[in-house]
């Protein structure tokens, strides 16, 4: 195999209470990438469609993660990367992670899988660091492992795969404004009150238990963020209305997707997820901001060859 075409999925990081540790993988939104083995060593980005991103390998997240992989393995060949970008950069659904994880996953496949998924995550984090200014794996892990993931630790990297309840659907609204992850991180407080920490870790534990036991009521109860959302929600127009109307439409919970501006809602069943989509649409139709809405099942597989 000298060439591979892949689907590299979008992801939702944080999942309300799990800032920088929880994430899940989407089914209907993602980039496509073509990776070719070449005789000439090194990494070359040969095509980028969809959005304006750097072609220079060292300045492109897919290039940087691929460089980390070949630096570790020193293969007797090189790779060309074509990126068909469907996920808007800065949208909050793991655009940079899809590129960073996609290139290394595909190269690993072309080389007959010398690395396991945790090792690939490590390489992809180098690309993610270029985009957001710090290494975090809460988008990369679900893109590579699929389903829900929890980043137990970054160093050493330890990723836990969590179960995905069968009937869980996600609705995403993406207001067409850009919030840079670095900006959304800069506004967060460095310290939090003990009472908020207690509430937050009780919610993370409950959410993990709810996923393991298919307990949708507990899941709904646990989807609360008292640490990050109060700050970041101010950057997203109509966040509170979206949340209220989505809950009225039947959503189990609503939160900021990653660092925003996208907002996600989890629902039991596709019908409810579609009702939530309608409710979100109604809220944003009253504004001048353009938006897109997606409904997706949770993607248990992650990356795939297409
Ligand atoms: N956990 C990260 C954040 C995800 O919320 O800043 C965004 O890349």
């Amino acid at each position: 195999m000298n060439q591979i075409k892949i689907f590299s999925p979008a992801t939702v990081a944080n999942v309300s209470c799990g800032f920088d540790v929880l994430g899940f993988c989407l089914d209907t939104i993602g980039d496509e990438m073509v990776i070719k083995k070449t005789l000439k060593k090194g990494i070359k980005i040969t095509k980028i469609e969809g959005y304006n991103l750097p072609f220079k390998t060292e300045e492109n997240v897919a290039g940087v993660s691929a460089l980390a992989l070949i630096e570790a393995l020193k293969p007797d060949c090189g790779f060309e990367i074509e990126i068909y970008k469907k996920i808007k950069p800065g949208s909050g659904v793991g655009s940079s992670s899809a590129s960073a994880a996609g290139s290394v996953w595909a190269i690993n496949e072309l080389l007959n899988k010398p690395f396991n998924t945790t090792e690939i995550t490590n390489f992809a984090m180098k690309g993610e660091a270029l985009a957001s200014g710090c290494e975090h794996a809460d988008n990369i892990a679900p893109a590579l492992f699929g389903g829900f993931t929890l980043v137990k630790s970054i160093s050493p990297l330890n990723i836990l795969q969590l179960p995905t309840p069968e009937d869980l659907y996600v609705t995403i609204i993406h207001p067409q404004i850009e919030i840079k992850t670095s900006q959304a991180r800069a506004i967060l407080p460095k310290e939090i009150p003990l009472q908020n920490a207690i509430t937050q870790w009780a919610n993370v534990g409950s959410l993990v238990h709810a996923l393991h036991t298919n307990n949708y009521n507990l899941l709904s109860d646990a989807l609360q963020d008292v640490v990050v959302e109060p700050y970041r929600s101010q950057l997203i127009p109509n966040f509170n209305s979206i949340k209220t109307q989505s809950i009225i439409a039947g959503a189990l919970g609503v939160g900021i997707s990653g660092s925003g501006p996208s907002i996600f809602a989890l629902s039991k069943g596709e019908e409810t997820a579609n009702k939530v989509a309608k409710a979100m649409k109604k809220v944003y139709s009253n504004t001048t901001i353009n938006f897109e809405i997606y409904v997706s099942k949770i993607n248990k597989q992650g990356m795939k060859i297409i």
Side-chain angles (χ1 to χ4, degrees), residues 13-14 19-20 128 136 138-139 181 185 232 258-259:
N14 301 340
F19 179 66
D20 273 3
E128 180 73 305
H136 56 91
D138 52 342
N139 284 110
T181 299
R185 294 184 83 85
R232 286 186 170 174
S259 54

Side-chain angles (χ1 to χ4, degrees), residues 23-25 142-143 145-149 161-164 298-302:
F24 62 78
C25 188
F145 286 87
F148 278 83
T149 53
Q161 288 183 271
L162 304 174
T164 302
I298 310 290
N299 169 359
K300 290 195 206 170
Q301 186 186 353

